[in-house]
Amino acid sequence: MAVGWFYLSFYSLWFLGLMCIILTIYWVQLWHGGFAWDGTLLMFNYHPVFMVVGSVVLYSAASLLYRLPQSWVGPKLPWKIGHAMLHLLAFILTVLGLVAVFQLHRRSRITNLYSLHSWLGIVTVFLFACQWFLGFVVFLLPWMSMWLRSLLKPIHVFFGVIILSLSIASVISGINEKLFFSLNNATQPYTNLPSEAIFANSLGMLVVVFGLLVLYILLVSSWKRPEPGILTEGQPLLRDGE
């Protein structure tokens, strides 16, 4: 029963993640003209896509890698490398999303980092960079002592959850800010809930649901990787899957 519920939650999660990506691309393609890496508003359209793909979906995939029962047996190093590489890919896409914004602002002479959304976003990226670097040094390089790893692991996990929560907050505040800018006119004001507003608000809610499901899977104790040599009654996935 436990393994069935786990995989139902897991596959539902990735369906939601895929929908978040597809709907974000559809939003900027249909209402904002598509994509072009040319310093115009079309370049900005990469920003929401890269942020949803990188800081939300791929970040979540990396965070959940150790929840797979297959990661609980055999050598841990390949899973560590996969965890680090997925996070690195997520970080690269997140940085590209920032580049798209800063390039547009530079060419359009718009001030950087003036809104609450931008403050949330830059703090999230800074914490993400620190988290990845310290995780690489402490948990992947071989010379770090086990007692220090054990000491820092809860802190690493805690900040992983914090960064994901900040990423979700940054994305939904960014969607809201974009709607305020694009629907700031007399013919289709945001307050009249035109079709773009309904679509993008729904996208924001979908991102929230995705994030909540990720946090649920992360926090269920029976779905956490057991300590070496220990498989308690509260961690039944391997038994159910044998």
Side-chain angles (χ1 to χ4, degrees):
M1 178 64 180
V3 71
W5 180 241
F6 170 80
Y7 280 112
L8 176 62
S9 300
F10 186 81
Y11 290 127
S12 298
L13 175 71
W14 296 119
F15 173 76
L16 287 175
L18 183 61
M19 289 303 299
C20 288
I21 295 171
I22 292 172
L23 294 179
T24 304
I25 295 172
Y26 183 80
W27 174 38
V28 296
Q29 183 71 49
L30 181 64
W31 279 285
H32 298 284
F35 306 92
W37 199 265
D38 59 0
T40 68
L41 280 173
L42 295 182
M43 184 174 178
F44 173 86
N45 290 341
Y46 283 107
H47 175 69
V49 174
F50 285 160
M51 291 307 185
V52 169
V53 176
S55 67
V56 176
V57 178
L58 280 179
Y59 185 93
S60 299
S63 300
L64 292 171
L65 202 60
Y66 291 131
R67 294 299 182 269
L68 290 172
Q70 293 87 344
S71 72
W72 296 4
V73 294
K76 192 175 180 180
L77 182 60
W79 296 96
K80 284 187 175 183
I81 294 173
H83 179 74
M85 291 301 100
L86 274 175
H87 271 311
L88 181 59
L89 179 58
F91 182 74
I92 291 170
L93 289 175
T94 301
V95 169
L96 286 175
L98 289 181
V99 170
V101 174
F102 288 141
Q103 286 280 63
L104 172 66
H105 284 191
R106 182 179 62 83
R107 292 199 177 191
S108 304
R109 300 183 184 276
I110 300 172
T111 304
N112 289 313
L113 302 176
Y114 64 88
S115 67
L116 176 59
H117 163 65
S118 62
W119 288 16
L120 273 174
I122 207 68
V123 168
T124 303
V125 174
F126 174 75
L127 290 176
F128 192 173
C130 294
Q131 173 88 336
W132 191 91
F133 176 76
L134 292 175
F136 179 81
V137 171
V138 173
F139 299 104
L140 199 56
L141 297 183
W143 56 68
M144 197 61 62
S145 62
M146 289 302 298
W147 74 266
L148 186 58
R149 289 181 178 179
S150 299
L151 178 67
L152 294 179
K153 182 180 176 182
I155 299 173
H156 183 70
V157 172
F158 171 77
F159 275 99
V161 172
I162 292 297
I163 292 166
L164 175 60
S165 302
L166 287 173
S167 296
I168 299 294
S170 299
V171 166
I172 60 176
S173 64
I175 291 172
N176 193 239
E177 184 176 285
K178 178 63 176 176
L179 288 175
F180 275 119
F181 287 148
S182 62
L183 298 177
N184 184 23
N185 57 71
T187 56
Q188 281 195 321
Y190 193 3
T191 52
N192 286 356
L193 273 182
S195 57
E196 181 186 357
I198 295 172
F199 184 91
N201 284 351
S202 301
L203 170 61
M205 293 302 298
L206 190 66
V207 171
V208 171
V209 171
F210 175 83
L212 290 175
L213 186 53
V214 173
L215 293 175
Y216 172 72
I217 294 175
L218 285 174
L219 295 175
V220 173
S221 60
S222 61
W223 295 349
K224 294 180 180 179
R225 179 187 175 98
E227 295 302 318
I230 300 174
L231 185 60
T232 67
E233 291 183 1
Q235 293 167 320
L237 289 186
L238 283 182
R239 291 196 189 95
D240 287 357
E242 289 174 346

